[in-house]
Amino acid sequence: MTTDAAPPALQSPAATDSLPLPPGPRLPLPVQSYLFGARRHRWLPRVRRRYGDIVHLRIFPERNLVQLADVEHIREVFSGPVSTFHAGEGNVVLKPIMGEHSVLITDEDVHLRARKLLMPAFHGAALRGYRELVTELATAEVERWPAGRPFRSHDRMHALTLEIILRVVFGVTDGPRLDELRTLLRKIVAVGPLDVLGWHKPALQRFGPWRRNAATARRADELIYAEIADRRRADDLDDRTDVLSRLLTVPAEDDRLSDAELRDQLVTLLLAGHETTATALAWSFHELARDPARLDTATRAADDGDEKYLEAVAKEAMRLHPVISEVARRLTRDVEIGGYRIPAGFTVMPSISLVQGDPAHHPEPAQFRPERFLDGGPATGSWFPFGGGVRRCLGAGFSLLEATIVLREVLSRYRLAPDRLSPEPARARNITLVPARGARIVITPRNKV
């Protein structure tokens, strides 16, 4: 049960009318939108240095965003009433591709219903049951890697994590329909910041790349609906453990999903269920290849089955290189945060990248140090790549399990080296930040004694 009783700092009496709006840059909306979409990892730290921890931005399509970089302010947002802080509305940029029923897009009771239905597939016994599947697919993938020449580890991780989530969602990955769906999903994930404009401007979908992207999304939907229709006719649903079959066999009639609702949840899992892990693993390889001492430590951990350290490697990669730079909550009423009034209709945006790169929370934040996550880890609230509060990512545990297993399979077989000494910068892709050159590495088979 949720309550509308807000923490004191978030009360919104009429007295807030006298409070000022947060400061922020006066650049035109199109300019701010471009900087946020294509260069936010460079622009937002400069904005914070000039304006402080609470900054008013104007970004398409949300219009009014308020960036938050203070851990206490962010904690107030995550613990605030879900009726005031709408995460689904805050994710409106994803609605055209994820769908209106997606667990990422809905709020309050509708969201809770979807979350309740999806949660069993990513917790408890189900989560433990994926270990063998992930190990099998990871082994098959890394044994095909080319030794002695540079390759893009990000591409290989995308292929692997997509294969894993396809198996988790559908149970099978064979056949021409899913072969085509793999190709289409890769295209959808690979869109750039300007391509996202076409999601929200149907008029653009008559032209060039926006038309091709729209056609790709429509074809992916056709394949998913065909898979749903076939699965509804299956006579062995009760024996299957994949997500689609679970959703088709929920006991309560009121919880059964329509085809459109199923489509939206499946697309959400397929797209969001592999991007973060693939990118975190790619950054892990990128950093380990440039740090021989920590590569040695991680290699010993792989040989010894020390999954705690391997998980710390993945967590530190997510800290140093956030895949998503912020989370968002659309306000349904005026609130006060840090002495500023933030009106209803604005979106507050806790900044993952600014908090995780802040030396006040992470000493020497530019350094790759997995040890931060051992013996208690960073302070609560200073690491949140999976979001926070009741909207924390359902697949967080699955993502870390997956990353740990893949790191073990790679490091137990290969020695990693960079293709060049200079580190790769991040670049914006859709709403994510990825290695600019694909996290290129060179591997050498290990001669284990």
Side-chain angles (χ1 to χ4, degrees):
M1 177 179 293
T2 60
T3 175
D4 284 343
L10 298 180
Q11 296 292 345
S12 54
T16 60
D17 291 343
S18 62
L19 296 174
L21 292 175
R26 297 183 179 275
L27 296 169
L29 183 144
V31 175
Q32 293 196 41
S33 298
Y34 167 75
L35 291 170
F36 183 81
R39 302 179 62 81
R40 57 187 173 273
H41 52 299
R42 300 184 185 279
W43 182 54
L44 294 180
R46 292 201 295 268
V47 167
R48 183 193 187 187
R49 285 194 293 272
R50 179 168 181 179
Y51 296 102
D53 288 338
I54 306 178
V55 183
H56 180 198
L57 306 172
R58 296 192 303 127
I59 310 294
F60 176 85
E62 291 281 352
R63 300 290 176 175
N64 288 296
L65 301 178
V66 176
Q67 174 179 278
L68 303 178
D70 182 279
V71 168
E72 291 303 318
H73 298 156
I74 292 170
R75 184 176 292 118
E76 290 168 355
V77 170
F78 286 159
S79 63
V82 295
S83 59
T84 298
F85 296 94
H86 273 190
E89 288 191 72
N91 292 330
V92 67
V93 68
L94 299 173
K95 186 175 180 178
I97 199 69
M98 298 297 190
E100 64 179 314
H101 307 291
S102 165
V103 70
L104 288 178
I105 304 303
T106 51
D107 285 297
E108 301 189 48
D109 291 345
V110 179
H111 167 78
L112 289 175
R113 172 177 176 257
R115 190 176 180 92
K116 182 183 72 172
L117 293 174
L118 294 171
M119 191 176 295
F122 295 98
H123 286 74
L127 189 61
R128 293 188 294 273
Y130 295 137
R131 178 177 289 274
E132 183 176 348
L133 166 67
V134 175
T135 301
E136 174 190 339
L137 294 176
T139 299
E141 163 62 35
V142 302
E143 286 184 345
R144 296 194 297 265
W145 283 9
R149 61 180 177 85
F151 68 98
R152 294 168 58 93
S153 66
H154 194 212
D155 291 350
R156 298 319 314 152
M157 288 299 94
H158 257 292
L160 172 58
T161 57
L162 177 57
E163 199 66 22
I164 290 169
I165 199 63
L166 278 168
R167 186 76 64 89
V168 169
V169 168
F170 291 121
V172 295
T173 56
D174 297 326
R177 181 186 295 155
L178 292 182
D179 286 343
E180 185 180 359
L181 185 59
R182 282 186 190 87
T183 301
L184 296 173
L185 291 173
R186 292 189 190 105
K187 291 180 180 179
I188 292 171
V189 168
V191 300
L194 290 179
D195 295 314
V196 174
L197 287 175
W199 294 355
H200 299 273
K201 293 288 186 182
L204 289 176
Q205 295 175 14
R206 296 177 294 174
F207 306 103
W210 297 294
R211 181 176 61 188
R212 291 191 293 273
N213 292 338
T216 296
R218 285 194 300 271
R219 180 56 181 160
D221 283 353
E222 292 172 1
L223 297 173
I224 290 172
Y225 279 121
E227 191 68 25
I228 291 170
D230 283 356
R231 191 62 59 87
R232 284 193 184 278
R233 294 190 291 267
D235 56 11
D236 62 344
L237 285 178
D238 290 335
D239 299 324
R240 296 177 182 240
T241 59
D242 58 90
V243 174
L244 176 54
S245 297
R246 287 173 184 265
L247 293 176
L248 289 172
T249 54
V250 293
E253 185 173 349
D254 290 345
D255 284 337
R256 291 173 191 164
L257 302 179
S258 66
D259 283 3
E261 290 173 314
L262 284 167
R263 176 266 173 210
D264 291 355
Q265 305 308 345
L266 297 180
V267 167
T268 299
L269 293 176
L270 291 171
L271 295 181
H274 77 285
E275 173 80 351
T276 296
T277 311
T279 305
L281 282 164
W283 281 122
S284 296
F285 300 141
H286 171 275
E287 294 296 336
L288 290 173
R290 287 166 173 76
D291 190 335
R294 288 191 168 84
L295 176 60
D296 287 343
T297 303
T299 299
R300 287 194 298 273
D303 291 344
D304 297 342
D306 181 2
E307 294 193 348
K308 185 177 180 181
Y309 188 84
L310 297 178
E311 183 179 280
V313 168
K315 286 182 172 180
E316 175 69 346
M318 294 179 189
R319 183 203 66 80
L320 183 58
H321 303 284
V323 182
I324 303 290
S325 65
E326 65 282 319
V327 293
R329 303 286 190 269
R330 175 77 66 82
L331 298 179
T332 62
R333 64 179 184 181
D334 292 7
V335 301
E336 178 268 328
I337 300 178
Y340 293 106
R341 177 176 64 90
I342 306 179
F346 276 44
T347 295
V348 292
M349 194 172 67
S351 178
I352 298 170
S353 57
L354 294 181
V355 171
Q356 294 185 177
D358 192 332
H361 309 300
H362 306 278
E364 298 181 288
Q367 301 300 311
F368 181 75
R369 290 171 42 192
E371 296 78 15
R372 300 176 201 271
F373 290 89
L374 304 177
D375 301 324
T380 302
S382 66
W383 183 83
F384 55 104
F386 297 107
V390 297
R391 299 294 295 236
R392 188 173 187 269
C393 176
L394 277 167
F398 177 70
S399 177
L400 291 172
L401 172 71
E402 192 177 4
T404 299
I405 292 172
V406 173
L407 283 167
R408 185 193 67 210
E409 295 303 309
V410 170
L411 296 175
S412 64
R413 288 171 173 78
Y414 302 116
R415 183 77 183 177
L416 311 183
D419 74 320
R420 63 180 72 169
L421 291 179
S422 58
E424 294 186 29
R427 70 172 178 86
R429 184 174 76 172
N430 52 67
I431 64 165
T432 64
L433 295 170
V434 300
R437 296 189 300 109
R440 289 168 63 85
I441 58 172
V442 180
I443 60 168
T444 304
R446 291 177 55 200
N447 295 317
K448 292 187 283 188
V449 178

